[in-house]
Amino acid sequence: MMYGGWEGHGLGPLLPMLVMAVPFAIGNYLLARRLGQTPWLWAAVTLIPVANYFFMIFVAYMVVFAVLDRLAASRDAAGTAAD
């Protein structure tokens, strides 16, 4: 018996990570639909254990940029109405 070796646990250690990622995958699916992106791709990437960390940073920036774009459009519409 080797210490620190892989003893054939299968996917057991990844199960808690997948269970915690499912609500985020559902949320990212709905968010992708609102942002006009591919929902199934966003949900699938959210379930990949290492990639989801970097993908969640990407999602956060996409949301920030979408909010900034809507604020800019609202500002422009208000500016033309006031003239």
Side-chain angles (χ1 to χ4, degrees):
M1 178 170 161
M2 296 180 72
Y3 292 104
W6 184 259
E7 298 181 10
H9 294 290
L11 295 177
L14 292 178
L15 189 60
M17 290 178 70
L18 288 173
V19 169
M20 290 188 308
V22 168
F24 289 106
I26 294 169
N28 283 344
Y29 176 86
L30 297 172
L31 186 60
R33 285 179 40 191
R34 295 280 308 257
L35 294 175
Q37 301 294 324
T38 309
W40 290 107
L41 179 64
W42 280 38
V45 174
T46 304
L47 295 174
I48 299 172
V50 176
N52 64 0
Y53 174 74
F54 298 104
F55 185 69
M56 293 301 274
I57 294 170
F58 170 76
V59 168
Y61 276 104
M62 288 291 291
V63 169
V64 168
F65 289 142
V67 168
L68 290 175
D69 289 344
R70 288 185 184 185
L71 286 174
S74 174
R75 183 190 64 214
D76 292 343
T80 56
D83 290 336

